[in-house]
Amino acid sequence: MQVTLASRRSPDTTSNEDFIAATAGCVVVVDGASVPAELGTGCAHGTAWFARRLGTQLLVLLTSQSDHSPADNLAQAITDVAALHADTCDLDHPGTPSATVAILREQPDTIDYLVLGDTTILLEQPTGIRAITDDRLEQVASVQHDAMHQQATGSAAHARSFAQLVTEQRRHRNHPDGFWVASTNPAAAQHALVDTVARESLHRAAVLSDGATRLVDRFGLLDWASFLAVLADQGPDAIIQEVRAAEHSDPDGQRWPRGKRHDDASAAFCQVT
């Protein structure tokens, strides 16, 4: 695979809570879950640290243990990162750092993929473009979602509503009736969306954080075909520039209500050779 990638932090933050990296045959995106300042995590390191450590360890395992499934690699990476800060942090805290994950890995005859949480993988196949994402997070805390969307993005009322939303989401995190993300429980990896496609059937692909997919799934400014065309013709950074332009055009969230005015955005475009 030929891979090009880009990542930009939110203009509202000082650190990027996304992690994106690739080898010639593997792409990993880890999107750390943002935590309102007034809510604790029990962790001295923070979400950006967690995302970087998880992504780095995951890439090592995916490339060195290609005979293991991506889900097993992810479970091991979760275990390994938990061990890094078990002695210093409260891993039983309901807000301990977590992240969504997307993996694309090339094998000799197949392409493996994994999606855990609201990251997205695009696959361009003869039958069309498939978008794989996990929307279970959207099925919880609907009352809190609606209340937050009544407030102007960036306002104090919106910040309070966002904190209430995250508090409610924590009650459903890594629960059979809720949603699954990478945190401290390796069993979450077995709840990911996983599959294998024939390598010869795949022409192009993309691996994306939800900050990049806003152009399609929240703003509705592109469809997946035009999104992939921009990636192919102009590169991942062009997609992120379009995201930022849309966000700046609607700073109060009047047109597109959302949890964050800006989000970290990461995108990888893959040409299967």
Side-chain angles (χ1 to χ4, degrees):
M1 283 191 304
Q2 296 176 344
V3 181
T4 55
L5 55 84
S7 183
R8 289 193 189 185
R9 64 172 176 82
S10 161
D12 295 333
T13 62
T14 57
S15 61
N16 191 342
E17 294 177 340
D18 282 1
F19 171 93
I20 185 169
T23 67
C26 184
V27 181
V28 172
V29 169
V30 177
D31 184 353
S34 298
V35 179
E38 62 269 34
L39 297 185
T41 65
C43 177
H45 304 95
T47 301
W49 175 91
F50 176 77
R52 288 193 297 268
R53 293 300 185 279
L54 182 66
T56 300
Q57 183 62 9
L58 183 54
L59 193 65
V60 169
L61 292 170
L62 286 164
T63 53
S64 65
Q65 299 181 3
S66 59
D67 56 328
H68 291 56
S69 71
D72 287 343
N73 291 145
L74 177 56
Q76 185 62 53
I78 291 171
T79 299
D80 294 345
V81 175
L84 291 177
H85 64 145
D87 293 339
T88 58
C89 304
D90 178 9
L91 302 191
D92 292 324
H93 191 287
T96 191
S98 65
T100 63
V101 180
I103 298 166
L104 193 72
R105 182 173 64 183
E106 185 180 34
Q107 302 280 33
D109 299 313
T110 59
I111 303 287
D112 301 328
Y113 72 76
L114 176 149
V115 173
L116 182 65
D118 58 7
T119 44
T120 297
I121 287 180
L122 300 182
L123 303 175
E124 185 182 51
Q125 298 178 282
T127 54
I129 297 173
R130 292 173 56 201
I132 301 101
T133 191
D134 179 355
D135 65 355
R136 281 174 284 189
L137 175 60
E138 298 298 319
Q139 309 308 314
V140 304
S142 59
V143 171
Q144 289 77 12
H145 264 291
D146 292 343
M148 181 186 67
H149 288 165
Q150 300 305 310
Q151 311 300 328
T153 305
S155 68
H158 184 276
R160 288 192 298 271
S161 294
F162 181 55
Q164 291 166 359
L165 170 63
V166 172
T167 299
E168 178 63 18
Q169 288 173 336
R170 287 177 174 182
R171 296 181 55 247
H172 302 274
R173 189 174 79 174
N174 288 352
H175 189 276
D177 295 327
F179 63 97
W180 297 89
V181 289
S183 183
T184 58
N185 182 1
Q190 304 307 320
H191 295 272
L193 306 180
V194 296
D195 204 354
T196 297
V197 298
R199 188 179 182 279
E200 64 182 11
S201 73
L202 190 62
H203 178 46
R204 302 185 297 191
V207 188
L208 311 156
S209 73
D210 69 335
T213 60
R214 282 182 159 192
L215 275 179
V216 177
D217 55 27
R218 183 159 300 277
F219 301 158
L221 296 175
L222 298 177
D223 58 18
W224 289 125
S226 54
F227 185 99
L228 194 61
V230 173
L231 279 175
D233 297 339
Q234 302 177 48
D237 198 57
I239 281 290
I240 299 176
Q241 289 181 35
E242 291 197 27
V243 170
R244 292 290 177 258
E247 291 170 339
H248 284 300
S249 74
D250 181 43
D252 298 328
Q254 298 302 303
R255 182 178 180 186
W256 302 302
R258 52 197 188 272
K260 291 174 283 187
R261 176 178 290 158
H262 305 286
D263 196 5
D264 303 326
S266 300
F269 174 70
C270 311
Q271 184 80 45
V272 182
T273 56

